[in-house]
Amino acid sequence: MVLWSVPAYLPFVQPPLTEGAVRAAEEQLGVRLPAAYLAMLAVQNGGYLRATWPGLPHEGLSGIGPHVPSITLDGAWWRPPVEDDDMWVPDGAARLIPFDGGGHWDLCWDYRECGPDGEPAVVYVDVDGESVSPVAGDFDMFLAGLVDEAEASALRVRAGVGLDELAAALGEELGCAFVDLGEWAHGYRQLHARLAGGAQVWLGENRVPAGFHREGRQVVVTTETALRLPADPRCTIVVETADDEDGVVRTALKSAGY
């Protein structure tokens, strides 16, 4: 499974990983980092993931580098030293290493039982609930349990049709108009429509810029491209839906000849 989101949001991607950076991070954290994690960073040093663990929040996977988010720039509220005497701190907090977090929660490697040179389990730290819950026995198991919802549920158009042409045909079938959302949110152009019954549909090309960032009000993209659904290179347009339990969008695509 390809786990990195496409396009990559470049401000969250660290410079290419080096052996020196790995050694420095492990020395700073006092642990041996999971091999599966380092293998992922060798491909892309941090950023958003395209897959999630069911039932848990996600922001991405922190890399190793000079800017946030990095596992060496720990921003977890509960990590020692804690300035607020009333702040909850989990037992053995120094051996819980966050690799993803959103302030009120963190996904962590748990070195409390395996020791600093062992293979850590993955746990979920709930700050508001003041609890630590098991997620996976190790990081390999965590990666294997991630679910790529877009790969599993997205509808695919494999015809030589443009985005606007498909939106016009699909809008006619569905009795709705598509709104151009532009590139701001994801780094590629996306069209959106809300149907009378409450279902929603988004259209976007499969081949998009490999990365993007924002400068003021402008989206800047890379010249290099990549596939949002790399397992389906024949797909030209990705059709995503929400609250379409009756499959209205799928039926409309077939009726329109796609």
Side-chain angles (χ1 to χ4, degrees):
M1 180 191 297
V2 179
L3 295 174
W4 293 115
S5 181
V6 174
Y9 181 56
L10 297 178
F12 281 9
V13 180
Q14 306 286 350
L17 191 67
T18 65
E19 291 184 6
V22 173
R23 287 195 299 269
E26 291 182 329
E27 182 177 350
Q28 174 186 330
L29 298 170
V31 299
R32 180 177 60 83
L33 294 169
Y37 168 70
L38 297 178
M40 285 194 66
L41 298 199
V43 177
Q44 179 179 306
N45 193 357
Y48 288 115
L49 297 179
R50 58 183 294 116
T52 60
W53 187 276
L56 290 183
H58 282 276
E59 289 294 331
L61 182 62
S62 298
I64 299 173
H67 54 79
V68 176
S70 169
I71 61 169
T72 58
L73 302 174
D74 192 349
W77 298 349
W78 47 267
R79 287 274 285 169
V82 177
E83 297 180 359
D84 185 352
D85 293 337
D86 295 328
M87 180 70 192
W88 170 78
V89 177
D91 293 337
R95 284 292 180 258
L96 292 172
I97 309 298
F99 60 83
D100 184 13
H104 295 269
W105 59 270
D106 293 277
L107 283 165
C108 302
W109 294 301
D110 186 354
Y111 288 90
R112 295 176 299 179
E113 291 189 11
C114 68
D117 295 320
E119 191 67 29
V122 174
V123 297
Y124 176 74
V125 176
D126 182 349
V127 176
D128 295 331
E130 299 186 355
S131 63
V132 179
S133 305
V135 176
D138 58 35
F139 195 62
D140 285 285
M141 295 174 62
F142 174 76
L143 295 180
L146 295 177
V147 176
D148 186 345
E149 293 184 0
E151 185 70 48
S153 63
L155 306 174
R156 297 102 185 275
V157 174
R158 299 183 178 92
V161 59
L163 203 58
D164 293 297
E165 182 182 352
L166 178 64
L170 197 54
E172 185 174 347
E173 292 287 340
L174 295 169
C176 65
F178 279 82
V179 176
D180 192 336
L181 302 180
E183 302 175 336
W184 182 262
H186 303 291
Y188 58 87
R189 186 166 171 249
Q190 193 175 55
L191 306 182
H192 171 259
R194 186 181 296 272
L195 311 188
Q200 299 183 71
V201 55
W202 295 264
L203 309 179
E205 293 180 340
N206 189 25
R207 181 165 292 281
V208 296
F212 79 104
H213 68 280
R214 303 181 183 101
E215 293 182 359
R217 296 177 179 270
Q218 183 180 6
V219 175
V220 181
V221 302
T222 62
T223 56
E224 180 186 4
T225 62
L227 295 176
R228 294 168 56 205
L229 299 180
D232 192 355
R234 291 180 55 242
C235 170
T236 56
I237 296 178
V238 181
V239 182
E240 299 172 279
T241 63
D243 301 319
D244 186 22
E245 289 81 4
D246 297 328
V248 173
V249 176
R250 183 186 296 272
T251 300
L253 278 170
K254 290 182 179 180
S255 180
Y258 301 110

